[in-house]
Amino acid sequence: MAEAKSDALPPEGHEERLGFQLAMMWRAFLSSPTRNMLLLLSSGMMLVVVATAVGQVLLNRWNRPFYDAIERRDLPEFFHQLVVFAEIAVFLLLLNVAQTWLNQMIRLKLREGLTRDLIGVWMAPRRAFRLANAGAIGVNPDQRLHEDSRHLSDLCTDLGVGLLQAMVLLISFVSVLWSLSAGFVFHVAGSSFAIPGYMVWAAILYAGTASWLSWLVGRPLIKLNADRYAKEAELRYSLMRVNEHIDAIALAGGEADEKRRLDFDLNAVLAATRRILWALTRLTWVTAGYGWGAVVAPIVVAAPVYFAGDISFGGLMMAVGAFNQVQASLRWFVNNIDGITDWRATLLRVSAFRTAVLRTDVLHEVAKRIEFFPSDDGKMIFERVAVVSPGGTTRLVDEHVEILPGERVLLTGVPGTGKTLFFRAIAGLWPWGSGRIGLPEGETPAFVPRRPYFPPGTLRDVLCYPRGIKAFEPTDLATGLEEVGLSRLTGSLDRSARWERELSEDEQRMLAFARLALHKPGWIVIDEALDMVDPDTHRRMLAILEKDLAHATIINIGRGERNGHFFKRTLRLAKDPAGQALKPLHVATSDAVAPTA
């Protein structure tokens, strides 16, 4: 489901309200490219459910002649009714198969639309980064995007189709049961009287009390399910983290420590599941108790009329069948209370995640932030720039700085100053703070982080990222690898691999510089990448900057100059002891959304 521009965010704390969650998902549905297909499939499902209800009514009417034939010991009529049953059963079987196909297709399209919508709003420029640095809700987005969206789609389909069936069957059989109740006459103490719609009211009373008790007992499952999903996400994240760093863990002999951490997360999952187990056990006393009572309830309700001789055995079985259909429809809530609480908890998680993603933009517009403006004279300008984070405030010591095209500038500061945070602020990833940053108009600076990112795919894809392989000649790629000392990889340009695992850290940074030389940006901002390599690699990097990027403006945020005087100018960053620190905002119950000053 594509992002809806009209999404209205509620005041903080209102995300838990069901009305807001449903309204948000409805707006996302209306803008979804899968909307028309979902409407078509839903219409087909409605036709199948209505046709199935017609078949159920026919099957219910079949009860009277069939059981009356048994009561009369009428063998020819008995076999005739078996033929009628076979015709009705084949009709219902075809509808069952059609309903199964439609059910699975609706699940598939719902998941496609929901997951595409969540990925779309999450992958808007810089949103995912801000969310990842905004608190608890940004820690495990994969759980919300993958598992929660799948589970919500399945629950919506199953509960929605079940509710539709219950409503159609209720409408179909209430009239049948009401007409059957019209012949019910009660004889008490020599007097006779009739109660209009007697069995309808009995079914409503029976199912109504069951629904009320089920909601009272089952309501805590909403919070318990939400808590379990959060703990499951934490366990999965821990397992992924260990797998990603298993070499470092093995080298340090840290398996025992990691096992204790995993045991802790697993115990949290088991404790959450155990709480659900006991809640479901309590709920089963209600749902199963009423379920077993439903076996004899319709017979007990109709028994006074049958034993008075005012209804035949076939009529009794027809009334029992209609009663069961009505009370089963009314008991849909009872039968699905576990699924409803699960759906409610999953909807809360998906809606809270989507709200948090959108709210990062709203906060960016209203919270105190750094102002960015285009510099029409080709300079990069810093005016009283201060970057605010939970750890305090980082300032550029000089209040007004202008960096001219072609300059080579070093920004440095003592450890803990917040150099990486300042790097992110220049890139616009971290907007919170004060002052103004002017970026050269018409230029798109290249930002080089400490650890380069390599997309999955071939080495050719890595070197051309993000412009695509058609943007460069194959010979340029081979030349770029040779210049950085990675000529051994020229034969692997079309091989897919996890390059961040195949290459050493220095080789990864050299590959990133080969990509930089290939793209030839006019402005380059580097975050300590030059400080984290050995001397030979450092010299090779500077050679690439000197030769292939001679006309580029280079701003290196790092620890200091190494070997020579490549950088002609030095600026300093410092902590402001009087500066502010950020506090998190909260979405839903415990998920933090984004910081504000």
Side-chain angles (χ1 to χ4, degrees):
M1 300 180 186
E3 177 190 356
K5 298 294 183 184
S6 59
D7 273 329
L9 297 179
E12 289 182 38
H14 287 213
E15 296 87 358
E16 293 186 56
R17 296 184 178 180
L18 179 60
F20 164 73
Q21 296 164 12
L22 293 177
M24 168 176 277
M25 303 315 293
W26 176 250
R27 287 192 297 269
F29 168 76
L30 290 178
S31 62
S32 170
T34 63
R35 176 193 59 193
N36 293 338
M37 178 58 72
L38 279 170
L39 290 175
L40 182 63
L41 292 170
S42 299
S43 299
M45 178 65 77
M46 184 170 292
L47 290 175
V48 168
V49 169
V50 170
T52 301
V54 171
Q56 295 277 21
V57 171
L58 293 175
L59 187 62
N60 180 259
R61 290 178 179 174
W62 169 85
N63 278 308
R64 173 173 283 178
F66 179 72
Y67 285 106
D68 283 347
I70 292 176
E71 188 179 28
R72 297 193 307 267
R73 293 179 172 80
D74 186 343
L75 191 60
E77 180 63 16
F78 172 78
F79 284 114
H80 172 70
Q81 291 303 320
L82 286 179
V83 173
V84 173
F85 171 79
E87 294 171 347
I88 297 174
V90 169
F91 174 66
L92 289 174
L93 176 61
L94 293 174
L95 293 174
N96 291 152
V97 173
Q99 182 172 327
T100 298
W101 183 84
L102 288 168
N103 183 289
Q104 295 302 313
M105 283 299 297
I106 291 173
R107 283 187 179 196
L108 177 66
K109 287 298 176 181
L110 266 179
R111 184 182 183 187
E112 176 187 347
L114 179 58
T115 306
R116 288 187 188 279
D117 171 73
L118 292 176
I119 291 175
V121 297
W122 184 54
M123 280 286 101
R126 299 171 182 171
R127 275 185 182 166
F129 171 82
R130 292 174 187 166
L131 190 69
N133 290 274
I137 199 167
V139 173
N140 299 309
D142 55 290
Q143 175 79 12
R144 317 253 182 168
L145 292 164
H146 178 264
E147 186 60 26
D148 288 347
S149 63
R150 179 200 63 80
H151 196 45
L152 183 61
S153 301
D154 290 350
L155 289 172
C156 284
T157 303
D158 292 343
L159 292 174
V161 172
L163 180 59
L164 175 64
Q165 285 180 309
M167 292 173 62
V168 171
L169 287 173
L170 179 62
I171 294 171
S172 302
F173 280 94
V174 159
S175 58
V176 174
L177 192 58
W178 189 281
S179 62
L180 287 173
S181 299
F184 283 18
V185 179
F186 296 89
H187 306 279
V188 179
S191 60
S192 301
F193 63 92
I195 302 176
Y198 162 66
M199 292 198 73
V200 174
W201 299 119
I204 292 174
L205 179 63
Y206 187 84
T209 56
S211 298
W212 177 67
L213 283 175
S214 297
W215 176 245
L216 286 181
V217 177
R219 188 174 182 180
L221 280 167
I222 296 175
K223 185 178 183 305
L224 293 176
N225 276 314
D227 182 59
R228 184 191 69 182
Y229 292 141
K231 296 296 187 293
E232 294 277 9
E234 291 170 6
L235 174 60
R236 189 170 73 172
Y237 171 76
S238 296
L239 292 169
M240 291 173 59
R241 178 184 55 78
V242 169
N243 185 58
E244 287 293 320
H245 301 283
I246 193 63
D247 50 349
I249 292 170
L251 290 171
E255 287 89 349
D257 186 65
E258 295 299 332
K259 180 179 180 297
R260 283 193 295 270
R261 295 174 189 272
L262 293 175
D263 284 341
F264 178 83
D265 290 335
L266 177 60
N267 289 336
V269 170
L270 295 176
T273 306
R274 197 174 294 113
R275 288 191 290 270
I276 291 177
L277 182 151
W278 285 110
L280 286 173
T281 302
R282 292 191 294 270
L283 181 61
T284 302
W285 282 101
V286 177
T287 56
Y290 272 88
W292 284 111
V295 175
V296 297
I299 298 176
V300 172
V301 169
V305 181
Y306 175 76
F307 285 114
D310 293 328
I311 187 174
S312 67
F313 182 65
L316 173 65
M317 297 309 295
M318 185 176 177
V320 167
F323 181 94
N324 283 332
Q325 289 286 4
V326 170
Q327 72 92 22
S329 299
L330 292 171
R331 288 182 69 251
W332 174 86
F333 183 83
V334 178
N335 296 333
N336 293 278
I337 184 64
D338 181 34
I340 292 171
T341 55
D342 195 4
W343 169 81
R344 184 73 177 83
T346 309
L347 177 63
L348 172 61
R349 286 177 55 80
V350 172
S351 176
F353 176 78
R354 196 173 189 276
T355 301
V357 172
L358 296 174
R359 180 162 282 167
T360 58
D361 290 347
V362 174
L363 290 171
H364 177 51
E365 295 300 325
V366 301
K368 190 175 181 181
R369 66 196 187 282
I370 299 168
E371 178 185 348
F372 289 84
F373 66 94
S375 173
D376 55 10
D377 55 3
K379 303 176 183 177
M380 182 177 287
I381 301 172
F382 299 94
E383 295 180 354
R384 299 178 180 272
V385 176
V387 184
V388 184
S389 72
T393 300
T394 298
R395 287 188 180 276
L396 190 59
V397 173
D398 296 318
E399 292 190 351
H400 182 86
V401 174
E402 293 184 0
I403 299 177
L404 303 177
E407 275 199 273
R408 298 169 181 175
V409 180
L410 174 66
L411 265 69
T412 187
V414 299
T417 300
K419 295 187 288 293
T420 295
L421 192 67
F422 200 85
F423 169 79
R424 293 172 175 176
I426 298 174
L429 297 179
W430 191 268
W432 296 284
S434 61
R436 305 172 75 228
I437 297 178
L439 298 177
E441 189 171 18
E443 294 282 354
T444 303
F447 293 93
V448 183
R450 295 181 181 184
R451 186 174 183 179
Y453 169 71
F454 300 142
T458 65
L459 187 59
R460 190 184 305 274
D461 294 324
V462 169
L463 285 168
C464 298
Y465 180 82
R467 291 170 59 182
I469 59 176
K470 295 182 179 179
F472 304 98
E473 295 295 330
T475 54
D476 294 336
L477 305 183
T479 301
L481 290 174
E482 290 174 3
E483 287 185 350
V484 298
L486 296 176
S487 56
R488 66 181 177 83
L489 297 177
T490 53
S492 301
L493 283 170
D494 294 311
R495 180 167 66 89
S496 293
R498 293 192 62 177
W499 298 103
E500 72 278 7
R501 290 200 167 189
E502 290 208 2
L503 303 177
S504 69
E505 291 187 358
D506 280 1
E507 287 177 328
Q508 291 178 45
R509 293 187 177 93
M510 289 306 300
L511 186 60
F513 267 68
R515 181 167 60 190
L516 200 64
L518 192 65
H519 287 251
K520 291 182 168 54
W523 288 73
I524 303 170
V525 184
I526 303 172
D527 179 28
E528 295 192 310
L530 292 172
D531 298 328
M532 306 180 75
V533 294
D534 61 53
D536 289 340
T537 303
H538 183 266
R539 285 193 294 271
R540 197 183 294 264
M541 285 179 167
L542 292 184
I544 291 171
L545 296 177
E546 188 76 56
K547 175 185 175 183
D548 297 285
L549 299 162
H551 301 293
T553 307
I554 301 171
I555 303 168
N556 179 45
I557 302 176
R559 300 168 191 169
E561 184 73 61
R562 286 174 60 184
N563 302 329
H565 302 281
F566 182 84
F567 297 102
K568 309 303 181 183
R569 183 180 177 191
T570 300
L571 302 173
R572 297 197 176 278
L573 299 171
K575 277 287 188 181
D576 184 353
Q580 293 180 313
L582 296 183
K583 297 179 181 179
L585 274 178
H586 295 275
V587 159
T589 53
S590 61
D591 291 329
V593 181
T596 56

